[in-house]
Amino acid sequence: MKVLLVEDSSSLRRSISIGLQNLGFTVDQTSDGSEGLSMALTGDYDVVILDIMLPSIDGLTVLKTLRSSHKDTRVLLLSAKSQAEDKVKGLLTGADDYLTKPFSFDELHARLLSLLRRGTLRKDIDKVELAGLILDMQLKTLRFGNKFIDLTPNEYKIVECLFTNQNTIVTPEKLSEHLAGQYDAVSKNSIEAHLSSARKKAKLAGVELPIQTKRGFGYMITP
């Protein structure tokens, strides 16, 4: 497994790198946000471990640029900020997980393994077509005919999770894990807000998202 480590603390960067290499990971590393962004955009990494406080470009800006470029590499944010609002901000920006400093190496390793397992679930599926809508999971796009529906990363993740679980009720808890990982949670109100926004964008493109709300249970795609 190939990991990109972007961390400005030389001692922490060295300890993480050595620990992961001893476990068989291939690790590229940098202390600079701008260089990390360039490496993440051009390299083929399974996971990016990304500190938030970085020289030249901060980690959240790096993350935003990756997601706006439709780069779907798993991203684990590192931060000394432990407040709930800081975690929510990072996750809603597009991170797959958030780890607060200081942390144990064993926890970091466990979270990486969790991200890697989730990252290999649907590599055999490239596209899902439904009711005239085409979800491209390589390009991370949703379109209706020739019209692209401009979804945010989190709106896209919700639609992807639902489109790939047709005829199954998807609970808010499952959507939360798809958005934020198993160690954090996204509220049902936030999920509803993202879904409402996605529906409005689809209507502007001339189509209804075929998503039903099953009150008390969750959401369901009905082809």
Side-chain angles (χ1 to χ4, degrees), residues 137-156:
M137 288 187 287
Q138 294 297 317
L139 298 177
K140 301 300 174 187
T141 58
L142 178 68
R143 63 184 171 90
F144 178 62
N146 293 323
K147 295 180 179 179
F148 283 89
I149 301 169
D150 187 21
L151 301 178
T152 67
N154 285 309
E155 290 166 3
Y156 173 84

Side-chain angles (χ1 to χ4, degrees), residues 5-218:
L5 173 60
V6 189
E7 165 60 56
D8 68 335
S9 168
S10 58
S11 58
L12 181 58
R13 191 173 65 252
R14 184 173 185 274
S15 64
I16 292 175
S17 179
I18 291 174
L20 291 178
Q21 288 172 354
N22 287 338
L23 291 172
F25 288 79
T26 299
V27 182
D28 290 342
Q29 56 181 288
T30 179
S31 62
D32 182 78
S34 180
E35 184 177 18
L37 174 59
S38 177
M39 294 170 72
L41 286 171
T42 58
D44 185 19
Y45 296 100
D46 295 293
V47 180
V48 177
I49 302 174
L50 180 63
D51 189 22
I52 290 181
M53 300 300 292
L54 292 167
S56 71
I57 301 177
D58 67 90
L60 289 181
T61 301
V62 171
L63 179 57
K64 284 180 182 178
T65 307
L66 286 177
R67 295 312 187 217
S68 65
S69 301
H70 302 294
K71 194 75 172 178
D72 193 41
T73 307
R74 300 293 181 183
V75 175
L76 169 61
L77 282 180
L78 302 180
S79 177
K81 297 181 178 180
S82 59
Q83 296 298 313
E85 55 265 31
D86 296 312
K87 294 182 180 181
V88 169
K89 183 178 180 180
L91 294 168
L92 294 183
T93 300
D96 297 283
D97 204 349
Y98 187 108
L99 184 57
T100 302
K101 300 177 183 178
F103 53 84
S104 71
F105 180 78
D106 287 342
E107 182 179 5
L108 173 68
H109 182 216
R111 292 192 182 216
L112 287 178
L113 293 179
S114 175
L115 289 179
L116 292 170
R117 283 196 299 272
R118 285 192 281 130
T120 58
L121 289 177
R122 299 190 201 85
K123 286 190 175 178
D124 57 326
I125 304 174
D126 291 327
K127 293 181 181 179
V128 176
E129 297 187 25
L130 180 65
L133 291 157
I134 300 175
L135 183 81
D136 190 318
M137 288 187 287
Q138 294 297 317
L139 298 177
K140 301 300 174 187
T141 58
L142 178 68
R143 63 184 171 90
F144 178 62
N146 293 323
K147 295 180 179 179
F148 283 89
I149 301 169
D150 187 21
L151 301 178
T152 67
N154 285 309
E155 290 166 3
Y156 173 84
K157 285 182 180 181
I158 289 173
V159 173
E160 179 189 64
C161 187
L162 291 167
F163 270 51
T164 53
N165 288 279
Q166 294 181 34
N167 298 313
T168 301
I169 293 177
V170 179
T171 65
E173 291 76 18
K174 182 170 182 176
L175 286 174
S176 173
E177 182 173 343
H178 192 70
L179 284 171
Q182 69 185 66
Y183 296 96
D184 290 285
V186 176
S187 71
K188 186 177 180 181
N189 286 341
S190 292
I191 291 171
E192 287 280 3
H194 290 309
L195 189 52
S196 174
S197 177
R199 283 181 166 131
K200 289 176 181 177
K201 291 176 180 179
K203 281 185 178 180
L204 290 175
V207 64
E208 295 272 353
L209 288 180
I211 300 171
Q212 285 190 352
T213 299
K214 299 290 185 179
R215 296 192 180 278
F217 297 98

